[in-house]
Amino acid sequence: MNILLLGSGGREHALAWKLAQSRQCTKLFAAPGNPGIASHAELVALDAENHAAVLDFCAAQQIGLVVVGPEAPLVDGLTDALRAAAIPVFGPSKAAAQLEGSKAFTKELCARHNIPTAGFKRVTNITEAALALTQFGAPVVVKADGLAAGKGVTVAMTMAEAEAAVAEIFSGKFGAAGAEAVIEEFLEGEEASFFALTDGHTVVPLGSAQDHKRVGDGDTGPNTGGMGAYSPAPVLTPMLTGEALERIVVPTVRAMAEEGMPYSGVLYAGLMLTKSGVQLIEYNARFGDPECQVLMLRLEDDLVDLLLACAEGRLGALPPPRLSPDTALTVVMAAEGYPGTPKKGGSIAGIDAAEAIGAKVFHAGTALADGALVANGGRVLNVTARGATVTEAQRKAYAAVDLIAAPDLFCRRDIGWREVAREAAGD
């Protein structure tokens, strides 16, 4: 069948790489794609915000499956338009995508259905936020309610930090995403990400990962969209995975169906592993970035089979997804200035050399300038490798990083550090 992939980042390059391997994939199109995705798909100029144009393209090219990579088209309701035209699509409806599109929506759903999550207060202005801050005290978490491109979240260790975060949200910096905010209780523990596939009824676990949000080594500096990740996350043990499924993910899918918003697609649960049990931090309505990259490197099944089964409501007929027991680890190479204003146009060379030693380099923010590869975003490359342990995967990934000549890019040098330390202590 012909498949259309929407998106242009590292997540979409990983999806394109895996989709193109499918026995079901006759031709893969990507819109708008990037130079890395162009190795696996025909790039097309198609604006995901123009639903009519997407529908026309699908009809003209006889598209049998649309895969929506980023969150914005989901929240915008593109999948609803595709389903109305009887075009199979992987991704939740506009109503269901509120699980990512509105932090307050998710917290209130959890409250109605007794799904474990941090205490919270929804606020619509600075005065309400100030009152909520006095109720919670510091440390406290401050979040813009809507989509803020991986930003808009502050873990404030002091009241001054919290007040500054609230002022930033209501200053208009995040546009409509900052029309409201959520003030949350601070949870202590280690974070992990859990991914499940669902067709709205059946829920199957896909895998776990740990992301590294802070820009600097040792988890220092401002939050980013993610500076690296590894999968699986051993800290999310089989017992804790079962708890997350039974108390958080399955009840959420059931609640969405009961409330008339059945959720179909991938459900990405950000979890906090606390002394009192697993708690939900927040949901994403799509594959994480860069978590998708490490999941795709471990996935041993045909991705199209899984995504099409979700789209067509027959996930229960398939066996559970199979993932390699190996660890996959990805290092984000970002442009100088990120997560502020990134420097664009820097030259990139050495990707072939990195891949020659067994790594896979996914393009996240690249472009071609006079035929040469250059940086064109904040997060530019995802250098990804597999190993029997986190330590081995980390060693292979950084060996590949060191073969890439990109003077205007930087990376953290400690991706996977918690698990590497645990592995060393266990030796």
Side-chain angles (χ1 to χ4, degrees):
M1 72 174 70
N2 294 339
I3 300 171
L4 172 63
L5 170 66
L6 298 174
S8 62
R11 167 184 49 224
E12 287 75 34
H13 188 182
L15 290 171
W17 173 73
K18 198 67 181 177
L19 290 167
Q21 297 171 28
S22 172
R23 57 185 173 75
Q24 292 206 62
C25 182
T26 304
K27 184 162 187 179
L28 179 63
F29 297 93
N34 65 38
I37 293 173
S39 299
H40 315 288
E42 179 181 324
L43 304 190
V44 292
L46 198 57
D47 183 358
E49 293 183 7
N50 187 336
H51 295 185
V54 174
L55 292 176
D56 288 345
F57 179 85
C58 289
Q61 298 296 333
Q62 297 181 306
I63 299 297
L65 175 66
V66 178
V67 179
V68 183
E71 60 274 21
L74 300 172
V75 172
D76 188 42
L78 176 60
T79 62
D80 299 87
L82 289 162
R83 288 191 177 100
I87 298 167
V89 57
F90 178 79
S93 66
K94 180 176 183 176
Q98 289 180 92
L99 281 176
E100 177 167 5
S102 170
K103 308 279 193 308
F105 171 88
T106 299
K107 300 296 280 190
E108 289 169 354
L109 182 89
C110 289
R112 288 194 299 275
H113 294 272
N114 298 312
I115 295 167
T117 189
F120 74 101
K121 185 75 176 177
R122 181 179 194 164
V123 296
T124 60
N125 55 56
I126 287 183
T127 303
E128 290 179 1
L131 181 59
L133 289 178
T134 60
Q135 292 170 346
F136 282 106
V140 66
V141 181
V142 180
K143 297 179 178 179
D145 178 62
L147 297 180
K151 302 179 180 67
V153 176
T154 301
V155 180
M157 303 311 291
T158 66
M159 288 296 281
E161 276 185 272
E163 289 162 359
V166 165
E168 182 179 55
I169 288 171
F170 288 109
S171 72
K173 177 178 178 179
F174 303 111
E180 295 187 3
V182 173
I183 312 297
E184 288 187 18
E185 169 194 12
F186 175 79
L187 295 176
E188 283 201 54
E190 191 165 343
E191 287 188 46
S193 302
F194 178 70
F195 297 83
L197 296 176
T198 179
D199 58 7
H201 307 285
T202 300
V203 179
V204 298
L206 182 60
S208 63
Q210 276 196 309
D211 188 14
H212 298 63
K213 287 293 187 189
R214 299 280 186 173
V215 74
D217 286 7
D219 291 333
T220 57
N223 272 331
T224 70
M227 294 299 294
Y230 61 93
S231 172
V235 69
L236 198 56
T237 62
M239 185 180 75
L240 292 176
T241 297
E243 183 181 338
L245 263 174
E246 293 168 19
R247 300 191 62 209
I248 297 174
V249 178
V250 170
T252 298
V253 173
R254 187 184 306 123
M256 294 295 285
E258 288 174 359
E259 297 195 10
M261 299 171 284
Y263 188 100
S264 173
V266 62
L267 191 54
Y268 162 9
L271 305 173
M272 185 68 80
L273 312 182
T274 75
K275 290 180 180 178
S276 59
V278 181
Q279 300 226 34
L280 177 70
I281 301 172
E282 62 186 26
Y283 277 124
N284 288 324
R286 35 71 194 183
F287 285 107
D289 189 346
E291 295 92 342
C292 182
Q293 290 83 313
V294 288
L295 287 171
M296 291 304 106
L297 212 66
R298 292 181 59 222
L299 181 64
E300 296 181 336
D301 286 322
D302 188 313
L303 181 62
V304 174
D305 287 350
L306 292 167
L307 304 193
L308 193 60
C310 289
E312 295 180 344
R314 49 178 182 80
L315 186 60
L318 296 187
R322 295 174 302 140
L323 277 75
S324 166
D326 282 355
T327 291
L329 184 144
T330 190
V331 177
V332 170
M333 298 185 72
E336 291 292 346
Y338 180 76
T341 303
K343 181 179 179 181
K344 295 185 179 183
S347 63
I348 300 168
I351 288 178
D352 288 347
E355 294 195 329
I357 64 167
K360 179 62 188 173
V361 181
F362 296 114
H363 293 225
T366 63
L368 293 175
D370 298 324
L373 192 66
V374 298
N376 190 44
R379 294 185 294 172
V380 180
L381 299 174
N382 308 141
V383 184
T384 315
R386 266 173 54 171
T389 62
V390 179
T391 304
E392 183 183 348
Q394 184 197 61
R395 178 184 60 76
K396 289 181 175 180
Y398 281 110
V401 165
D402 292 338
L403 292 173
I404 295 174
D408 292 332
L409 303 187
F410 73 97
C411 68
R412 281 183 58 164
R413 303 295 306 193
D414 65 345
I415 300 304
W417 67 271
R418 287 187 185 86
E419 204 54 48
V420 168
R422 282 191 279 257
E423 288 177 355
D427 287 344

